[in-house]
């Protein structure tokens, strides 16, 4: 997803749940996951290339780190680990076909609004039909260079990130479902993490 989209999703989901300074650190860590060195060879940071198992392991690793940093009173590191975790959770909806599958499961003729999207349909999360876009280097890198984009789309296969992504509104109406699903999922990752913390530690984490 584009940088400003990650910011918007995170603020929509978490404003009011954290102090401003905590949210700033969480957002900075979230955005840092899209630096060049974290884009190459780190499918698990972005749910790319069907790396579902590795991506879920990464989410839980960052959640465990978040909790252990809070327990050792290193709160800024806890915010960073949490920011990295929600980056991956948000990318899931932009890089996989989850939204396409969810929409195709709706009863005939029904078109739910984006805010009705269920971000955690257990059947879809575990279906063998779930796929995420493959990163075909070096062509995929050229897809990000505007003037090369039409040519890259002609060359790259349909299972590539270039064809499958819902990274921005430009990718069509399904983007809005990915956006709303990512907002809901971010809230749910916060709840899941907060649930592990006793009141005094939760207070430290949210910094309020
Ligand atoms: Zn990403």
């Amino acid at each position: 997803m584009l940088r400003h989209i990650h910011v918007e999703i995170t603020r929509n989901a978490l404003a009011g749940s954290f102090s401003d300074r905590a949210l700033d650190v969480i957002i900075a860590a979230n955005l840092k996951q899209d630096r060049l060195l974290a884009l190459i060879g780190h499918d698990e940071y972005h749910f790319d290339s069907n790396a579902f198992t590795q991506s879920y392991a990464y989410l839980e690793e960052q959640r465990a780190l978040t909790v252990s940093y809070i327990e050792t009173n290193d709160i800024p590191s806890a915010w960073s680990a949490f920011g990295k975790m929600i980056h991956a959770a948000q990318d899931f909806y932009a890089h996989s076909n989850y939204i396409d599958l969810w929409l195709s499961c709706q009863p005939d003729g029904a078109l739910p609004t984006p805010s009705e999207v269920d971000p955690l349909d257990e059947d879809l999360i575990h279906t063998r039909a779930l796929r995420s876009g493959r990163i075909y280097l070096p062509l995929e890198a050229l897809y990000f260079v505007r003037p090369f984009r039409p040519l890259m789309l002609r060359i790259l296969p349909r299972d590539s990130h270039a064809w499958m992504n819902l990274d921005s509104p430009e990718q069509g109406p399904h983007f809005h479902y990915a956006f709303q699903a990512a907002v809901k999922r971010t809230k749910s990752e916060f709840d899941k993490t907060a649930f592990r913390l006793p009141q005094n530690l939760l207070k430290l984490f949210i910094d309020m």
Side-chain angles (χ1 to χ4, degrees):
M1 279 171 163
L2 302 185
R3 290 172 68 85
H4 74 274
I5 308 272
H6 276 296
V7 175
E8 228 180 293
I9 290 168
T10 307
R11 289 202 180 280
N12 263 311
L14 301 177
S17 298
F18 285 96
S19 70
D20 289 347
R21 68 170 182 169
L23 206 49
D24 286 347
V25 176
I26 291 166
I27 288 172
N30 179 330
L31 296 181
K32 216 173 153 195
Q33 294 297 86
D34 278 340
R35 68 194 185 280
L36 192 60
L37 283 177
L39 280 171
I40 299 167
H42 283 289
D43 292 333
E44 77 281 13
Y45 292 3
H46 319 278
F47 273 93
D48 285 328
S49 301
N50 298 312
F52 295 111
T53 308
Q54 297 90 326
S55 300
Y56 284 119
Y58 182 71
L59 288 188
E60 293 317 315
E61 178 193 301
Q62 293 307 311
R63 192 188 324 280
L65 273 174
T66 301
V67 172
S68 80
Y69 282 132
I70 299 167
E71 285 167 348
T72 54
N73 207 23
D74 183 356
I75 309 300
S77 297
W79 294 332
S80 290
F82 183 72
K84 291 178 184 177
M85 178 180 73
I86 59 172
H87 179 98
Q90 294 167 0
D91 272 354
F92 172 75
Y93 302 97
H95 294 171
S96 76
N97 60 347
Y98 179 89
I99 295 295
D100 294 348
L101 293 171
W102 186 77
L103 285 168
S104 68
C105 286
Q106 301 307 307
D108 277 350
L111 182 62
T113 62
S115 58
E116 290 175 276
V117 69
D118 175 2
L120 288 165
D121 183 313
E122 282 297 315
D123 293 340
L124 294 183
I125 281 177
H126 297 110
T127 177
R128 293 169 69 89
L130 190 70
R131 295 276 180 279
S132 74
R134 284 189 178 278
I135 304 290
Y136 291 96
L137 290 173
L139 295 181
E140 190 72 41
L142 291 173
Y143 165 82
F144 289 99
V145 183
R146 280 275 159 183
F148 290 118
R149 188 165 286 190
L151 176 63
M152 289 310 116
L153 284 172
R154 254 180 288 160
I155 300 172
L156 283 162
R158 294 284 174 149
D159 70 347
S160 62
H161 165 273
W163 274 102
M164 288 182 65
N165 82 82
L166 296 174
D167 282 344
S168 74
E170 215 185 319
Q171 299 305 107
H174 287 193
F175 163 79
H176 302 286
Y177 292 87
F179 183 96
Q180 292 298 335
V183 170
K184 290 183 183 185
R185 177 66 178 273
T186 302
K187 284 182 189 162
S188 118
E189 294 301 341
F190 169 69
D191 291 342
K192 206 169 157 185
T193 309
F195 182 73
R196 292 199 187 175
L197 299 167
Q199 272 304 315
N200 59 326
L201 295 187
L202 178 59
K203 243 173 113 59
L204 289 178
F205 183 44
I206 64 173
D207 194 37
M208 291 204 300

